[in-house]
Amino acid sequence: LDKHTQWGIDFLERYAKFVKERIEIEQNYAKQLRNLVKKYCPKRSSKDEEPRFTSCIAFFNILNELNDYAGQREVVAEEMAHRVYGELMRYAHDLKTERKMHLQEGRKAQQYLDMCWKQMDNSKKKFERECREAEKAQQSYERLDNDTNATKADVEKAKQHLNLRTHTADENKNEYAAQLQNFNGEQHKHFYVVIPQIYKQLQEMDERRTIKLSECYRGFADSERKVIPIISKCLEGMILAAKSVDERRDSQMVVDSFKSGFEPPGDFPFEDYSQHIYRTISDGTISASKQESGKVDAKTTVGKAKGKLWLFGKKPKVKVIKFLYPQSPPLTPTSLFTSSTPNGSQFLTFSIEPVHYCMNEIKTGKPRIPSFRSLKRGGPALEDFSHLPPEQRRKKLQQRIDELNRELQKESDQKDALNKMKDVYEKNPQMGDPGSLQPKLAETMNNIDRLRMEIHKNEAWLSEVEGKTGGRGDRRHSSDINHLVTQGRESPEGSYTDDANQEVRGPPQQHGHHNEFDDEFEDDDPLPAIGHCKAIYPFDGHNEGTLAMKEGEVLYIIEEDKGDGWTRARRQNGEEGYVPTSYIDVTLEKNSKGAVTYI
């Protein structure tokens, strides 16, 4: 029984060790899952990095569900540690104490029985010894009594000795009988009462150990079963996240994110190079032009400028630059050809060599104003987002207006709270000094005024962008009628514009020398005004090609903003230059004619 009960306790401790290792596995599993989730979760340092696509949102929802799943594994570990492992360790300690007590009781009972047996055995041996002495005394007395030569005194002495030994033997006999009776009673009690009771206690202890193991087995399973509903919800959440992926919505978000608002390039019109040779041939015949077009020198059709980056390759090298006049141009140089459009207007075409020469002059001239440089991809962001395409600029401005409105609402709520607190202080001076709130109230009012000004300024920029976006469709329709559709091109600075003239256009340059191309197109008459504008903000105009202006100054507009954020204006004294469109309030005259339009 000693070995069996010890084996039971060892088995209990072995199972407790198994549970402990299982708890460590659960804890490590949960920890690794949390580290995995943390590794792949985005570090949301800014709003721009927040997931927007449904596939990304679904993945982050799955990560959240996995994090909850890791939490449930931790719950399993905690439940096992508290309900199973901790209970097993406490019970094993109590079981050892109880087993030790029962074994000590058994040893004590055995020791007491051994003591009783020794006492009985001692009394027995003493009784046996006294009986032998009494027999010797009787034999001595009988021998002296039968001896005629023995004196009466010797006989009497032998008789007294015999009586003494006989009396001692009787006393030892009685003591032995008592000890024997006591031992038999204790022995009966030991084997029929004490030992069975100890065995019964050991049996009950072992049965309780078995029951405790059964309860721990059940608790081990219940710890896992309790979290199964929550784990099932986590898995259902992952499935729902997978179902929430919408490829059409993601595609639409990509379109909205990268939609520029520029007009796509139109068809190139047919250039009839044979018109000046075969005057008698009908204008609708193109057979001769096909033959002659094969003989055109490649130098007149292939530009030497550096290839521009396009979406799926390099921009086609054949380029034709056209200037559209509302009336017939006064000059017809030999290098130019005049063609007619269906609506009666005429345009001039020329080969790329003069244009290439002009572009070389621009590239080798003085640098342009910084705002044109900012159109370059990756350039510094401007306050009015004029470096962005129209559609993206509109979104950014709307986003900023929404943020400013939220800040304005917060400041307004704070102002109302301060006013209420001030009223309370005025009615109950003991609660506080109303004057102490005045600096904070003044600061709040200043913030409100500043935010309103910012909102007004951004709304002006937004209305400007929306007006241009709405008007671009009308310009495209007019261009389609004249077969002169706006070509999507890349400016020399590396940004894309919707006007072909942006390749060579910039603020007016102060050329130190002229070339033949400039002389042929030089016109002494100034461009007519198509409207006027009023400066909302002052502009220093330090860069060459810009025009300085003061707040409230009225200027003539001689060229509209082409989507680059700059408007060409002129003072009354004839000084011309470019001014930021967002700094002026523009009023265009109806039916204005005579302005140069770049196609």
Side-chain angles (χ1 to χ4, degrees):
L1 289 178
D2 184 10
K3 292 180 179 180
H4 173 74
T5 52
Q6 183 62 42
W7 171 86
I9 294 175
D10 293 341
F11 182 80
L12 186 71
E13 291 179 341
R14 184 180 179 187
Y15 178 70
K17 185 178 179 182
F18 161 77
V19 175
K20 181 181 179 181
E21 292 181 358
R22 170 65 188 278
I23 291 171
E24 292 176 353
I25 290 173
E26 292 288 348
Q27 290 174 344
N28 293 333
Y29 180 47
K31 183 178 179 181
Q32 291 176 1
L33 285 179
R34 289 193 181 277
N35 291 336
L36 182 66
V37 171
K38 184 178 180 181
K39 178 181 179 181
Y40 286 94
C41 270
K43 297 179 181 179
R44 299 181 180 177
S45 58
S46 63
K47 294 183 179 179
D48 295 336
E49 297 180 3
E50 292 184 0
R52 297 179 300 163
F53 299 107
T54 56
S55 57
C56 297
I57 294 175
F59 175 64
F60 296 136
N61 289 336
I62 289 175
L63 290 179
N64 291 332
E65 296 294 344
L66 188 61
N67 191 53
D68 296 340
Y69 177 82
Q72 295 308 310
R73 303 319 307 178
E74 292 177 347
V75 170
V76 171
E78 292 175 359
E79 186 71 13
M80 287 183 178
H82 174 71
R83 184 176 176 181
V84 181
Y85 179 72
E87 189 68 22
L88 282 174
M89 295 306 295
R90 286 192 297 270
Y91 188 76
H93 180 268
D94 296 339
L95 203 64
K96 289 179 180 179
T97 304
E98 184 179 359
R99 172 180 174 275
K100 183 179 180 180
M101 180 185 68
H102 293 327
L103 292 179
Q104 285 180 353
E105 290 177 355
R107 283 192 290 269
K108 287 180 181 179
Q110 187 65 40
Q111 289 174 0
Y112 180 71
L113 183 63
D114 292 342
M115 183 187 68
C116 292
W117 181 84
K118 286 181 180 180
Q119 290 177 354
M120 184 271 296
D121 186 62
N122 290 334
S123 61
K124 177 182 177 182
K125 289 178 180 180
K126 188 176 180 181
F127 171 65
E128 183 181 4
R129 186 174 61 251
E130 290 297 332
C131 286
R132 286 196 299 271
E133 292 294 333
E135 290 178 356
K136 288 179 181 180
Q138 186 176 4
Q139 291 175 1
S140 176
Y141 170 73
E142 290 177 352
R143 188 177 65 250
L144 289 175
D145 187 37
N146 294 325
D147 188 5
T148 56
N149 296 324
T151 60
K152 187 177 179 180
D154 292 336
V155 174
E156 189 65 25
K157 184 177 179 181
K159 185 178 179 180
Q160 290 179 353
H161 183 67
L162 175 62
N163 291 334
L164 179 63
R165 289 296 178 185
T166 302
H167 178 72
T168 304
D170 291 338
E171 289 182 351
N172 288 329
K173 180 180 178 181
N174 294 333
E175 183 179 358
Y176 169 64
Q179 291 294 335
L180 180 62
Q181 185 179 3
N182 180 54
F183 172 74
N184 289 333
E186 292 296 332
Q187 181 177 258
H188 184 274
K189 180 181 179 182
H190 177 80
F191 287 103
Y192 286 94
V193 179
V194 178
I195 293 299
Q197 183 68 24
I198 293 173
Y199 289 169
K200 184 178 180 181
Q201 290 174 353
L202 289 173
Q203 179 182 355
E204 291 176 353
M205 180 192 72
D206 193 62
E207 289 176 352
R208 289 198 307 272
R209 176 190 63 82
T210 307
I211 294 172
K212 178 60 68 174
L213 279 173
S214 175
E215 293 176 353
C216 291
Y217 294 158
R218 188 179 299 107
F220 183 85
D222 287 341
S223 300
E224 185 84 18
R225 188 174 61 182
K226 283 181 179 180
V227 301
I228 288 179
I230 303 178
I231 291 177
S232 298
K233 290 183 179 179
C234 295
L235 298 177
E236 290 175 1
M238 295 181 184
I239 295 175
L240 291 176
K243 292 181 179 179
S244 67
V245 176
D246 188 351
E247 67 281 2
R248 295 298 180 85
R249 184 180 175 186
D250 288 353
S251 299
Q252 186 61 38
M253 292 179 70
V254 174
V255 172
D256 294 339
S257 298
F258 300 107
K259 183 167 61 176
S260 65
F262 291 136
E263 293 293 336
D267 298 334
F268 279 92
F270 174 72
E271 307 297 337
D272 191 358
Y273 294 101
S274 64
Q275 190 176 21
H276 68 291
I277 299 175
Y278 302 99
R279 298 292 183 179
T280 59
I281 300 178
S282 174
D283 293 340
T285 305
I286 62 173
S287 59
S289 63
K290 291 182 179 179
Q291 296 174 0
E292 292 297 328
S293 60
K295 300 179 181 180
V296 178
D297 188 2
K299 294 182 179 180
T300 64
T301 57
V302 180
K304 298 179 181 179
K306 183 179 179 181
K308 306 300 186 293
L309 180 63
W310 282 64
L311 181 60
F312 298 108
K314 291 188 176 181
K315 181 180 179 181
K317 296 184 178 180
V318 179
K319 305 178 183 178
V320 177
I321 299 182
K322 309 164 190 177
F323 292 93
L324 177 63
Y325 289 84
Q327 300 175 356
S328 299
L331 298 178
T332 57
T334 56
S335 61
L336 303 178
F337 306 100
T338 305
S339 298
S340 300
T341 58
N343 62 354
S345 61
Q346 297 179 341
F347 60 89
L348 301 178
T349 64
F350 51 88
S351 63
I352 198 63
E353 285 187 350
V355 179
H356 182 251
Y357 179 80
C358 182
M359 290 181 64
N360 287 337
E361 288 295 320
I362 293 175
K363 290 181 179 179
T364 56
K366 295 183 179 179
R368 295 188 179 136
I369 57 178
S371 292
F372 281 92
R373 289 182 178 274
S374 66
L375 290 174
K376 186 175 182 180
R377 295 181 184 273
L382 300 179
E383 183 184 7
D384 59 350
F385 300 111
S386 59
H387 61 290
L388 296 176
E391 183 65 22
Q392 302 301 323
R393 182 185 180 192
R394 183 188 64 79
K395 289 183 180 179
K396 288 289 186 181
L397 289 173
Q398 187 63 51
Q399 222 172 19
R400 181 187 288 173
I401 290 173
D402 294 340
E403 293 176 358
L404 291 173
N405 282 325
R406 286 193 291 269
E407 293 180 10
L408 180 61
Q409 184 62 37
K410 289 182 182 179
E411 294 293 337
S412 300
D413 294 341
Q414 185 176 0
K415 182 192 73 172
D416 295 340
L418 290 173
N419 287 328
K420 290 180 180 179
M421 190 179 296
K422 184 178 179 181
D423 294 340
V424 172
Y425 286 175
E426 288 176 351
K427 293 178 181 179
N428 301 305
Q430 66 274 10
M431 296 183 66
D433 181 16
S436 61
L437 300 176
Q438 194 61 34
K440 186 65 176 176
L441 195 58
E443 181 183 354
T444 305
M445 293 299 295
N446 291 334
N447 291 338
I448 291 175
D449 294 339
R450 177 181 56 80
L451 290 173
R452 285 176 178 171
M453 291 179 62
E454 288 289 332
I455 291 172
H456 178 71
K457 182 169 63 174
N458 283 274
E459 285 178 348
W461 290 334
L462 181 61
S463 61
E464 173 193 345
V465 174
E466 291 177 346
K468 288 182 179 180
T469 306
R472 186 173 287 110
D474 299 335
R475 292 199 299 269
R476 173 173 172 79
H477 179 69
S478 175
S479 300
D480 290 339
I481 295 176
N482 292 279
H483 299 282
L484 298 173
V485 184
T486 303
Q487 302 296 318
R489 307 189 179 209
E490 185 183 13
S491 68
E493 295 294 338
S495 64
Y496 291 90
T497 64
D498 59 348
D499 295 327
N501 67 298
Q502 294 299 324
E503 289 188 3
V504 297
R505 182 189 173 199
Q509 305 291 331
Q510 299 295 332
H511 299 288
H513 58 277
H514 298 275
N515 52 52
E516 296 179 359
F517 181 75
D518 294 334
D519 294 337
E520 292 175 354
F521 285 92
E522 186 175 1
D523 190 0
D524 295 334
D525 295 333
L527 295 175
I530 61 173
H532 64 277
C533 65
K534 183 178 180 180
I536 304 175
Y537 307 104
F539 180 63
D540 50 17
H542 290 324
N543 297 296
E544 186 174 352
T546 60
L547 181 64
M549 61 182 181
K550 298 180 181 179
E551 183 177 357
E553 185 178 357
V554 178
L555 304 172
Y556 294 110
I557 296 178
I558 59 176
E559 187 179 326
E560 289 186 76
D561 184 359
K562 300 301 179 182
D564 52 19
W566 293 88
T567 300
R568 190 174 179 183
R570 182 173 62 220
R571 282 200 179 93
Q572 293 182 359
N573 59 5
E575 185 180 359
E576 297 180 1
Y578 284 88
V579 295
T581 307
S582 58
Y583 281 45
I584 57 176
D585 185 10
V586 180
T587 303
L588 296 178
E589 298 178 2
K590 296 182 179 179
N591 301 324
S592 61
K593 296 182 179 180
V596 176
T597 304
Y598 294 89
I599 304 298

